[in-house]
Amino acid sequence: MNKETKNSPDLKSGKGDKDYSKYFDFSDAKLIREEDGKATYRIKGRTIQINAAPDYKEEKQRGKEEIKVHYDFELPEEMKQFGAGKYAYIMTYGCQMNEHDSETIKGLLEQMGYASTDDRNMADIILLNTCAVRENAEDKVFGELGHLSHLKREKPSLILGVCGCMSQEESVVGRIMKKHPFVDIIFGTHNIHRLPHLVKEAVFSKEMVIEVWSKEGDIIENLPKKREGIKAWVNIMYGCDKFCTYCIVPYTRGKERSRRPDDVIAEVRELARQGYKEIMLLGQNVNAYGKDFEDIEYRFGDLMDDIRKIDLPRVRFTTSHPRDFDDHLIEVLSKKGNLMEHIHLPVQSGSNEILKRMSRKYTREHYLELVKKIKTAIPDVVLTTDIIVGFPGETDEQFEETISLVKEVGYDSAYTFIYSPREGTPAAGMEDNVPEQVKRKRLYRLNDVLNEFSKKNNEGLKGLTLEVLVEGESKNNASVLAGRSRTNKLVHFEGPRELIGQFVHVHITETPTFYIKGEWVREQEAAV
Ligand code: SAH
Ligand code: SF4
Ligand code: F3S
C-alpha cells in the first residue's frame, strides 16, 4: 500500500508550500530538521515533529481521484510486541462514527500487544478520540487534557494522544502545541491505521509527533476492530459532501466514499454468524450510499434489501439526510422483518429561509411530504430528529415555524442544540445576532414541546406487549433491566440478569417521558 506516499506533505522546506509556522505563532520556533517530508521544530523547549498538519482548504476540496480499496493492511512484525505487558485507555467523544473508530483503534493497539484498561492510572497510553461538532464538545477535551497533564507529570513514560475530528482542525493543532505541549501524538480521522507507526516514533524520539492528513485516504477494509457487547456498528460509508453551512463534519471526515456492497454484506454476515443481535449501519448521510459508484447502480435501498435477507434479528441505520431519502428505500423499509421501524431524520429547522441558509437543500414542504410518505408506508414508524436553534439571523417567527413543524410531525424524541459557530464554516461568517438568552429560551421551549409529544406517544404504548432486546441493568437500579424496543424506546422491567443479551416480551404498564416501564411476559419469551 503506498498511502504514505500519496498523502505525505509535499514539504521541501519549513516554509513555502507547506509552511507549518501558521500552526505556531512563536517567534522563537526553530526548524531543526527536515527529512522525508517531515519537519522538526524546537518550540519552547519541546521538540515537535510534523509529518502532516490539517489544512482547511485541502479538507474542503472534493477531488475526482478514485478511492482505492485495500485489503492488505498488516501490522509490521516489529510492532507486534510493542505494547506487550502495557495498558491502553481510550476516551471517546462524539458520534457513533467515533465510537466505531475507537473500536479500530483498540483493535490496532491489541494487535500491538496492549491490553485495555478502564483505569487511567494504570494506562501506558491514553488516547482522546475527539469530536469537533460544537464548542462544548471541544471544551470537554481541553479540560480533560488539563487533568491528564498531572498524570503525565507523575508518569513521564505515559503516551498521550489526541485523535478524531478535533485533530483535523488547524486551530486545535496550534492550541495543543502552545498550551498542551506534553501531548505526544496527534493524528486524524484519515490515518488511524498509522497509529502503530506514530506510537513508535513518539516513544523513540520523545518528540511530539503530529500527522494529520487533510485529504481522505483510500478505504482500508481489513483493519482490526475490537467490538464489545451485543450490538455492532458497521460503516457503510465515510465522509460527507453536503456541506451544511454550520457543520464541520465535511472538513473533518473528507469526501463521501461508500464501501463496496460485497464488503458490507460480508461483514454483516460475519457479525450475524458471531451472534450479534443488532447491527447499526453508519454513515453521515446513509441515503447517499452508492452515489459514488461509477461501475454499478446500487443505492441504500438496494443495500437494505440485501441485508434484510440476512439471518440477523435487528438492523438499524443512522443518519438519514431527508434530501436523498428515496421511494425505493421507503418501500424496502416497509417490509420490516429485521429492519426496525425507527428512522432518525434530522430536520434542523422548520423555516424555509433558515433551511436555505443552512444549505440543507430541502424545504419544509419537501420534508413534511417525505414524513407523510414514510408514515403511510410504515404506520407504526417512530421518527426522531436533530434540531438547531439560534442559527445566525433566526427570528422568533422562524423559530415558531420549527415549533409548528415539530407539532405536525409529532416526533418521539429529538436531539436539540444551540447553534455553535465552527471556525472555517460558512455560517461562522454570518452575523450571529441572536442573543444567548434568546437561544436558551428557544431551546427550553422546543424541549418542552418535544417532551409533550414524547409523553403522548409513549402513553399510546400502555397495554401493549413489545419485543425488547435486553441490554443490561438500568443505571440507577440493579434489579431493573433495561432494553430497547424495535422502535428504539428505552424499556425498563424487573427480571433476572440472565436475560441480558436476549429478546423478551414486555407488557407496558407505565410511561414516564424518557423511558417506558413494563412487566416481563415469561411465557411469551421470544426465541429469536
Ligand atoms: N450527518 C448527520 C449529522 C451529524 S452532526 C446529519 O446530517 O444528520 C449531528 C448533529 O449535530 C446535526 O444533525 C446538527 O443538528 C448538530 N450540529 C452540527 N453542527 C452544529 C453546530 N455548528 N452547532 C450546533 N449543532 C450542530
Ligand atoms: Fe454535517 Fe450536513 Fe453532512 Fe450532516 S449532512 S454531517 S449536518 S454537513
Ligand atoms: Fe463529532 Fe466528528 Fe462525529 S465532529 S459528531 S465525532 S463525525
Side-chain angles (χ1 to χ4, degrees):
M1 193 185 325
N2 66 350
K3 295 182 64 64
E4 285 80 35
T5 2
K6 184 181 155 201
N7 289 280
S8 287
D10 182 18
L11 182 88
K12 296 276 183 301
S13 69
K15 297 214 162 21
D17 200 27
K18 286 266 179 184
D19 181 1
Y20 289 125
S21 62
K22 75 170 171 185
Y23 300 96
F24 45 83
D25 52 356
F26 314 115
S27 50
D28 54 350
K30 236 177 94 187
L31 179 67
I32 55 171
R33 204 168 63 230
E34 264 188 326
E35 56 189 352
D36 306 330
K38 300 172 183 176
T40 307
Y41 297 86
R42 188 84 187 150
I43 302 171
K44 291 196 189 302
R46 177 74 160 133
T47 308
I48 300 181
Q49 175 187 316
I50 307 183
N51 299 355
D55 182 304
Y56 270 140
K57 256 200 225 129
E58 277 184 38
E59 289 180 356
K60 206 164 144 182
Q61 279 163 12
R62 290 295 183 261
K64 282 257 173 271
E65 66 277 356
E66 193 194 336
I67 297 288
K68 293 205 177 66
V69 184
H70 299 272
Y71 299 89
D72 58 353
F73 173 83
E74 213 178 316
L75 193 74
E77 203 53 46
E78 78 269 17
M79 289 180 206
K80 287 192 179 147
Q81 286 305 310
F82 201 85
K86 296 189 185 137
Y87 291 93
Y89 179 81
I90 321 293
M91 292 180 78
T92 310
Y93 301 81
C95 65
Q96 284 145 324
M97 202 75 68
N98 250 21
E99 296 279 353
H100 190 38
D101 282 349
S102 285
E103 294 182 336
T104 302
I105 291 170
K106 286 178 191 166
L108 286 166
L109 291 169
E110 191 172 67
Q111 279 196 349
M112 291 175 77
Y114 285 96
S116 57
T117 176
D118 291 332
D119 177 2
R120 61 173 71 191
N121 295 308
M122 260 181 88
D124 299 284
I125 179 167
I126 298 180
L127 296 177
L128 307 186
N129 191 7
T130 61
C131 171
V133 81
R134 281 170 294 276
E135 195 178 353
N136 55 7
E138 298 203 349
D139 291 344
K140 273 192 231 158
V141 170
F142 284 119
E144 194 56 53
L145 279 175
H147 297 144
L148 291 172
S149 67
H150 303 291
L151 215 56
K152 177 82 181 174
R153 219 169 293 141
E154 282 163 26
K155 188 176 180 182
S157 66
L158 170 68
I159 293 289
L160 253 182
V162 176
C163 59
C165 288
M166 273 172 73
S167 306
Q168 297 290 144
E169 291 183 278
E170 292 175 3
S171 60
V172 167
V173 170
R175 183 163 164 189
I176 292 177
M177 284 197 237
K178 196 170 192 167
K179 301 228 171 99
H180 307 280
F182 51 87
V183 166
D184 299 287
I185 329 172
I186 307 178
F187 62 102
T189 58
H190 303 313
N191 63 333
I192 291 175
H193 64 285
R194 291 273 301 152
L195 172 65
H197 297 267
L198 301 177
V199 171
K200 199 176 145 200
E201 279 184 24
V203 168
F204 287 129
S205 69
K206 303 211 165 18
E207 295 168 356
M208 181 196 287
V209 178
I210 302 175
E211 184 174 311
V212 180
W213 296 0
S214 298
K215 289 199 76 58
E216 61 287 324
D218 298 332
I219 293 176
I220 309 177
E221 274 299 335
N222 65 325
L223 289 176
K225 292 184 185 90
K226 190 170 162 39
R227 290 188 166 97
E228 283 153 1
I230 49 175
K231 297 178 178 186
W233 287 301
V234 176
N235 277 124
I236 63 165
M237 58 190 302
Y238 304 96
C240 179
D241 284 349
K242 282 280 185 279
F243 286 102
C244 303
T245 55
Y246 51 81
C247 185
I248 194 83
V249 172
Y251 306 80
T252 64
R253 292 275 169 178
K255 79 171 177 185
E256 272 171 15
R257 293 96 77 203
S258 305
R259 286 179 70 198
R260 300 296 300 180
D262 290 352
D263 291 331
V264 175
I265 289 167
E267 183 171 0
V268 173
R269 282 223 168 91
E270 173 56 22
L271 293 168
R273 196 194 59 77
Q274 288 173 19
Y276 283 95
K277 300 276 190 334
E278 182 173 310
I279 61 153
M280 172 71 97
L281 305 173
L282 295 179
Q284 288 302 344
N285 171 12
V286 289
N287 308 82
Y289 178 80
K291 267 187 162 179
D292 53 328
F293 294 148
E294 286 180 355
D295 54 337
I296 46 171
E297 236 343 283
Y298 188 91
R299 301 294 304 275
F300 188 52
D302 301 307
L303 182 69
M304 290 305 268
D305 208 19
D306 281 339
I307 290 182
R308 192 173 66 79
K309 293 164 196 151
I310 298 176
D311 185 14
L312 174 84
R314 285 185 173 186
V315 179
R316 300 185 189 277
F317 59 92
T318 201
T319 303
S320 281
H321 191 292
R323 182 174 160 104
D324 298 315
F325 211 112
D326 59 35
D327 292 349
H328 180 224
L329 177 61
I330 298 177
E331 185 199 320
V332 171
L333 294 179
S334 71
K335 297 178 189 168
K336 295 192 178 175
N338 62 3
L339 309 182
M340 300 297 101
E341 44 275 17
H342 167 221
I343 300 172
H344 187 64
L345 196 63
V347 67
Q348 314 299 357
S349 167
S351 148
N352 278 339
E353 177 54 30
I354 295 293
L355 287 171
K356 196 157 143 207
R357 286 200 285 119
M358 287 178 161
S359 192
R360 288 291 287 180
K361 303 183 180 78
Y362 54 81
T363 58
R364 171 193 177 98
E365 291 73 29
H366 168 252
Y367 185 91
L368 288 171
E369 181 60 33
L370 175 62
V371 166
K372 207 155 116 196
K373 272 200 248 175
I374 294 174
K375 284 186 173 174
T376 309
I378 314 166
D380 52 350
V381 73
V382 157
L383 294 174
T384 56
T385 198
D386 291 351
I387 295 169
I388 297 176
V389 301
F391 187 78
E394 186 189 60
T395 62
D396 281 338
E397 291 74 33
Q398 287 163 340
F399 170 67
E400 288 306 322
E401 290 182 66
T402 298
I403 295 284
S404 78
L405 179 132
V406 163
K407 288 182 176 165
E408 203 166 328
V409 177
Y411 296 107
D412 278 66
S413 71
Y415 293 107
T416 55
F417 310 102
I418 288 181
Y419 166 72
S420 169
R422 305 285 65 214
E423 199 183 312
T425 60
M430 299 176 190
E431 195 195 346
D432 190 0
N433 57 353
V434 186
E436 196 53 37
Q437 222 184 345
V438 173
K439 289 180 183 169
R440 268 179 209 291
K441 262 201 188 146
R442 288 182 188 166
L443 186 75
Y444 296 148
R445 179 152 136 66
L446 175 62
N447 287 342
D448 282 348
V449 175
L450 283 160
N451 290 346
E452 251 173 63
F453 279 92
S454 214
K455 209 166 155 38
K456 204 172 102 209
N457 292 347
N458 284 353
E459 269 163 16
L461 300 172
K462 233 186 239 176
L464 298 184
T465 299
L466 303 181
E467 178 202 82
V468 172
L469 174 56
V470 188
E471 294 181 352
E473 287 162 358
S474 107
K475 277 192 198 123
N476 306 322
N477 185 347
S479 71
V480 173
L481 296 176
R484 294 271 169 183
S485 70
R486 284 178 62 92
T487 56
N488 212 30
K489 296 265 179 198
L490 181 61
V491 183
H492 283 184
F493 66 99
E494 282 184 23
R497 286 200 88 247
E498 293 69 53
L499 295 181
I500 295 172
Q502 305 293 318
F503 283 95
V504 296
H505 281 95
V506 177
H507 183 74
I508 304 304
T509 51
E510 278 178 67
T511 55
T513 315
F514 298 110
Y515 64 101
I516 53 182
K517 265 168 132 172
E519 282 158 12
W520 172 32
V521 185
R522 285 163 200 258
E523 62 275 20
Q524 278 184 10
E525 195 175 330
V528 186

